[in-house]
């Protein structure tokens, strides 16, 4: 088997290779610049999203705290309303008793007056 031996480059081929390498370096520099610009843009976008996310997180925390306070306030109001309802129910029952008692007293009073008048008539008739 014969071994492949590369030919010695000529000045023209060396110049072409150097030119190709220079062109490749320039293309890669351009691509690097583009990638750096893209990276800076993405970093800027990332920071904007991060700031927005932090702001939304703070807002959510405030809303959760507010909801907790609202729930506590509603529980307090519910307890107060329950106590007030019980008090009003008790007063209403007492009022019913008073009204019934007054009606009974009035009825008894009127009956007593009628009995008295009847007795007085009987006395005068004698």
């Amino acid at each position: 088997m014969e071994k492949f031996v590369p030919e010695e480059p000529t000045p023209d081929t060396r110049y072409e290779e150097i030119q190709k390498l220079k062109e490749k370096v320039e293309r890669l520099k351009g691509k690097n610049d583009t990638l750096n610009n893209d990276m800076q843009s993405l970093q800027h976008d990332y920071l904007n999203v991060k700031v927005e996310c932090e702001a939304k997180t703070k807002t959510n925390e405030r809303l959760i705290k507010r909801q907790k306070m609202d729930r506590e306030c509603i529980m307090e109001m519910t307890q107060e309303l329950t106590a007030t309802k019980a008090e009003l129910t008790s007063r209403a029952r007492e009022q019913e008793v008073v009204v019934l008692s007054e009606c009974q007293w009035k009825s008894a009073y009127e009956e007593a007056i009628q009995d008295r008048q009847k007795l007085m008539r009987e006395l005068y008739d004698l």
Side-chain angles (χ1 to χ4, degrees):
M1 254 203 234
E2 221 177 287
K3 220 174 184 189
F4 177 74
V5 178
E7 293 182 25
E8 194 66 33
T10 64
D12 287 340
T13 55
R14 279 188 184 168
Y15 177 78
E16 287 176 13
E17 285 179 22
I18 290 171
Q19 286 305 107
K20 285 180 183 178
L21 288 173
K22 284 183 180 179
E23 289 172 5
K24 189 172 185 176
V25 166
E26 288 302 315
R27 276 195 319 268
L28 290 174
K29 281 182 183 178
K31 188 172 183 179
N32 191 36
D33 289 344
T34 302
L35 290 173
N36 280 331
N37 289 338
D38 289 349
M39 184 177 72
Q40 286 178 351
S41 176
L42 289 171
Q43 285 174 333
H44 180 73
D45 291 347
Y46 168 77
L47 289 176
N48 285 341
V49 168
K50 184 178 177 183
V51 167
E52 186 178 317
C53 183
E54 288 171 353
K56 286 183 179 182
T57 298
K58 287 180 182 178
T59 301
N60 284 341
E61 288 171 354
R62 283 193 302 269
L63 287 173
I64 289 169
K65 187 176 181 180
R66 175 83 187 261
Q67 287 175 341
K68 182 180 177 186
M69 290 170 50
D70 288 349
R71 277 193 300 269
E72 289 171 357
C73 183
I74 288 170
M75 285 177 53
E76 281 181 31
M77 291 174 76
T78 301
Q79 290 171 347
E80 289 176 13
L81 288 172
T82 302
T84 302
K85 180 181 177 186
E87 177 67 24
L88 289 174
T89 302
S90 174
R91 286 183 184 181
R93 286 185 188 133
E94 289 173 4
Q95 184 67 26
E96 286 174 11
V97 168
V98 167
V99 167
L100 287 175
S101 179
E102 286 176 357
C103 287
Q104 288 172 346
W105 276 104
K106 187 176 181 182
S107 175
Y109 177 74
E110 288 174 356
E111 189 176 316
I113 290 176
Q114 288 173 359
D115 286 346
R116 181 176 173 235
Q117 288 174 349
K118 183 178 174 185
L119 286 173
M120 291 297 265
R121 270 187 255 128
E122 288 176 5
L123 245 158
Y124 284 119
D125 287 342
L126 283 178

